[in-house]
Amino acid sequence: MLVFWFLLIALVVVVAAVTLAVVGGGSEAVLPEAEPDRVADALPESRPVVRGDIDALRLPVAPRGYRMAEVDDVLERLAAELAERDARIAELTAAAAQGRGAQAPGSAVDLHKDAHQEGR
């Protein structure tokens, strides 16, 4: 019976302390606004993104999964870099095709050597 009264008194003291802490703080004890838990994009700005950068990338986790804004930012950056690379590849391919057309017919490099070896 003594343990019951001890636990009841302890419970009342804890509830009272929490209530006073929450209500009795006043306006000067208000916590400042929390900064968003966002980390800077870990992808390099000074060079193109490489596979190792993507492997090392860790996005912050929110209580219910990943933060959508963080994932959207990273995906947008990767999409822009891939579009740049695709444009550069298309430009180089066009330049190579144009260069191949200007060369003599016998001096072109054959990229399909496996097909010629099978025919031998």
Side-chain angles (χ1 to χ4, degrees), residues 11-26:
L11 178 67
V12 169
V13 169
V14 169
V15 169
V18 170
T19 303
L20 285 175
V22 170
V23 175

Side-chain angles (χ1 to χ4, degrees), residues 26-44:
S27 63
E28 64 275 350
V30 174
L31 294 175
E33 288 296 317
E35 291 292 322
D37 188 23
R38 293 180 56 114
V39 296
D41 181 355
L43 298 175

Side-chain angles (χ1 to χ4, degrees), residues 34-106:
E35 291 292 322
D37 188 23
R38 293 180 56 114
V39 296
D41 181 355
L43 298 175
E45 294 290 333
S46 60
R47 62 176 172 75
V49 177
V50 296
R51 171 71 188 249
D53 297 329
I54 303 301
D55 291 339
L57 183 65
R58 297 292 175 258
L59 298 172
V61 178
R64 291 181 18 178
Y66 289 99
R67 297 187 191 301
M68 286 193 290
E70 289 285 328
V71 174
D72 289 345
D73 290 346
V74 170
L75 290 177
E76 185 176 311
R77 167 88 188 276
L78 290 174
E81 288 210 13
L82 287 174
E84 268 182 45
R85 287 183 188 176
D86 288 345
R88 181 71 176 145
I89 288 170
E91 177 184 317
L92 292 173
T93 303
Q98 205 172 33
R100 248 187 258 126
Q103 290 178 349

